[in-house]
Amino acid sequence: MDNNDFPILHQKVNDEDLVYLDNAATTQKPKQVIEAMEKFYYNDNANVHRGVHTLAERSTEQFEDARQKVQKFINAKSTKEIIFTKGTTDSLNMVAQSFGENIHEGDEIVISIMEHHSNLIPWQQLAIKKHATLKYIELTDDGQLDMSQAKSLINDRTKIVSVAHVSNVLGVINPVKELAKLAHKHGAVMVVDGAQSTPHMPIDVQDMDCDFFAFSGHKMLSETGIGVLYGKEKLLEKMTPVEYGGEMIEFVKKFSTTFNDLPWKFEAGTPNIAGAISLGFAIDYLNGIGMQNIFDYEQKIVSYVLPKLLAIDGIEVYGPKDPKLHTAVISFNLLGLHPHDLATGLDMEGVAVRAGHHCAQPLMTYLGLSATARASFYFYNSLEDADRLVGAIRATKEFFKHGTI
């Protein structure tokens, strides 16, 4: 794998060759996706499902083709189960607002302490609104989800279990298939936040047996503002829309309305047409490499860089220390240095990482931290990029100790 398809990566930042390691926040776009979007806007741009003219038919065909690509990419049973949204956040809020109508006083919702705010606040607010109880699965000593505690928390009062497939801070892969089995044993539904897993590994929602699965396009090479909510058809059929207008209606009378079939009843207004089509082209690109190949390659990078990071005196790495339990998301701090200063020092070396609470403030509190630095790799990064990260950390440490780089 090389990065020649990504022109943005071939530039200098602060007089250094750029090493982009902020892929958990958003990924760069290959030429193939950029050129496909340019071709769409030059030739085919029109609204979908509305017009009978040629451009409208071309646009609609590409939009629905993208839905089929998503269906196959995550192995959903039907395109009826694929709803285009604005992103993971929008998808999870849609489940909380629509399926959440089934929650009543005394019911319980179980999430984990490692959740990103997008998979925490919707359930927190639903619990407040419905007078339900929100419970948190905590972590083991090595940063994994505590499954023994999960088994004690999930019971017949549990109605929803919602957990990230991969933590955006700890990089750990959670056993969502096992959690789904546990949730279903007690009659609860399983919601999976796939924002940090879908771009990096094969996804099979049928094998996972989750009831809902959410992810974003911009973290997997496509445009921002596009995402997907997968839901089992039998559940989506019973749910009511949360937004009204546009193609989601079937027939409107003065005092009543009937709604369109799945999946369109959840896609009110003009959708992000170009975004959906760009997601389809991004899936083509990823399939060209192979998702298992991407996962294996990123495992190679983690196995290479994690021991090197742990060998730096004064560094603390969060999450599992075993590379086999880790994805290419690695959060860390350097003793005596604020993460923002560390990230600024790395940027001076041309290495782009993120610093902050990563929209996971309850996890930061649980770990006794205010923030961390985070390096997140993708398939277009190399072992040389990993060496640049390690070298830049050492140089930044030296700078703040002695004032020279």
Side-chain angles (χ1 to χ4, degrees):
M1 298 180 215
D2 62 51
N3 60 17
N4 289 325
D5 287 337
F6 298 83
I8 195 172
L9 298 176
H10 299 282
Q11 62 174 296
K12 289 188 179 296
V13 171
N14 296 322
D15 295 326
E16 302 284 350
D17 289 336
L18 171 66
V19 175
Y20 183 79
L21 299 179
D22 195 18
N23 295 290
T26 198
T27 56
Q28 302 303 340
K29 322 307 175 194
K31 288 187 292 187
Q32 290 83 346
V33 171
I34 295 170
E35 290 168 0
M37 288 302 91
E38 188 178 65
K39 183 180 177 184
F40 170 75
Y41 277 120
Y42 278 150
N43 298 285
D44 305 323
N45 180 49
N47 214 326
V48 293
H49 299 133
R50 288 161 172 80
V52 294
H53 57 81
T54 300
L55 264 58
E57 290 181 352
R58 284 187 203 156
S59 184
T60 300
E61 182 178 354
Q62 291 179 62
F63 182 75
E64 293 302 331
D65 280 349
R67 198 188 307 274
Q68 288 185 11
K69 292 176 183 177
V70 172
Q71 177 215 338
K72 293 176 182 174
F73 191 66
I74 63 172
N75 194 32
K77 283 184 179 177
S78 163
T79 53
K80 293 179 179 178
E81 300 178 321
I82 304 300
I83 299 162
F84 285 126
T85 66
K86 291 183 288 187
T88 303
T89 302
D90 192 38
S91 299
L92 294 167
N93 273 277
M94 187 183 292
V95 179
Q97 292 173 34
S98 183
F99 185 83
E101 288 302 310
N102 297 303
I103 302 302
H104 304 288
E105 184 172 357
D107 289 343
E108 296 181 356
I109 302 167
V110 176
I111 63 176
S112 88
I113 196 63
M114 69 173 77
E115 297 310 311
H116 182 275
H117 293 166
S118 295
N119 196 34
L120 189 156
I121 302 171
W123 309 118
Q124 177 195 73
Q125 294 302 306
L126 177 64
I128 293 171
K129 178 182 176 182
K130 295 288 188 173
H131 303 287
T133 300
L134 183 63
K135 292 185 172 182
Y136 287 88
I137 307 168
E138 298 186 351
L139 309 179
T140 60
D141 292 341
D142 66 347
Q144 297 186 74
L145 203 66
D146 187 340
M147 286 302 292
S148 62
Q149 189 200 23
K151 290 172 184 172
S152 68
L153 288 180
I154 298 171
N155 57 50
D156 289 346
R157 292 185 297 277
T158 306
K159 301 303 177 188
I160 296 171
V161 178
S162 187
V163 170
H165 195 182
V166 169
S167 166
N168 72 316
V169 177
L170 304 174
V172 64
I173 304 171
N174 289 321
V176 289
K177 184 175 179 179
E178 187 179 348
L179 281 169
K181 187 175 181 180
L182 190 58
H184 293 155
K185 177 182 174 183
H186 294 283
V189 300
M190 182 70 205
V191 184
V192 177
D193 172 356
Q196 298 295 341
S197 63
T198 312
H200 303 280
M201 61 186 68
I203 298 296
D204 186 334
V205 292
Q206 293 189 66
D207 180 67
M208 202 181 293
D209 198 22
C210 58
D211 298 285
F212 299 98
F213 187 93
F215 63 97
S216 297
H218 72 97
K219 296 181 191 294
M220 47 184 289
L221 312 181
S222 78
E223 295 185 355
T224 56
I226 186 68
V228 169
L229 171 64
Y230 157 82
K232 287 181 177 174
E233 184 177 347
K234 64 181 181 182
L235 294 175
L236 292 174
E237 287 285 6
K238 295 176 183 176
M239 291 162 52
T240 55
V242 295
E243 292 183 325
Y244 303 99
E247 189 61 21
M248 57 78 62
I249 59 95
E250 180 185 54
F251 195 82
V252 181
K253 299 179 182 177
K254 284 182 69 175
F255 299 105
S256 65
T257 298
T258 56
F259 302 127
N260 203 343
D261 295 330
L262 288 173
W264 304 291
K265 80 171 184 179
F266 289 104
E267 295 177 354
T270 296
N272 183 351
I273 302 164
I277 293 170
S278 79
L279 178 57
F281 280 106
I283 287 173
D284 289 342
Y285 189 93
L286 292 169
N287 282 336
I289 301 172
M291 295 309 297
Q292 187 61 49
N293 291 334
I294 289 173
F295 180 76
D296 292 343
Y297 179 73
E298 292 181 11
Q299 284 292 296
K300 180 181 175 182
I301 290 182
V302 176
S303 298
Y304 179 79
V305 74
L306 194 55
K308 291 178 179 288
L309 291 173
L310 291 168
I312 298 174
D313 187 36
I315 204 167
E316 177 72 23
V317 176
Y318 305 99
K321 305 301 186 290
D322 182 350
K324 294 178 182 175
L325 301 175
H326 223 290
T327 63
V329 174
I330 304 174
S331 292
F332 54 93
N333 277 327
L334 201 54
L335 184 64
L337 196 58
H338 192 282
H340 286 176
D341 293 331
L342 175 56
T344 300
L346 297 182
D347 186 54
M348 291 171 63
E349 295 284 306
V351 179
V353 302
R354 180 172 173 176
H357 54 61
H358 312 297
C359 301
Q361 289 177 310
L363 176 60
M364 292 293 122
T365 301
Y366 180 83
L367 296 173
L369 305 170
S370 60
T372 75
R374 182 186 69 187
S376 48
F377 295 80
Y378 205 18
F379 64 85
Y380 44 61
N381 292 121
S382 64
L383 297 182
E384 288 74 21
D385 291 342
D387 285 333
R388 284 280 307 280
L389 170 67
V390 173
I393 293 173
R394 292 189 183 279
T396 302
K397 180 183 174 183
E398 183 67 19
F399 172 79
F400 280 95
K401 187 176 181 181
H402 298 295
T404 57
I405 289 183

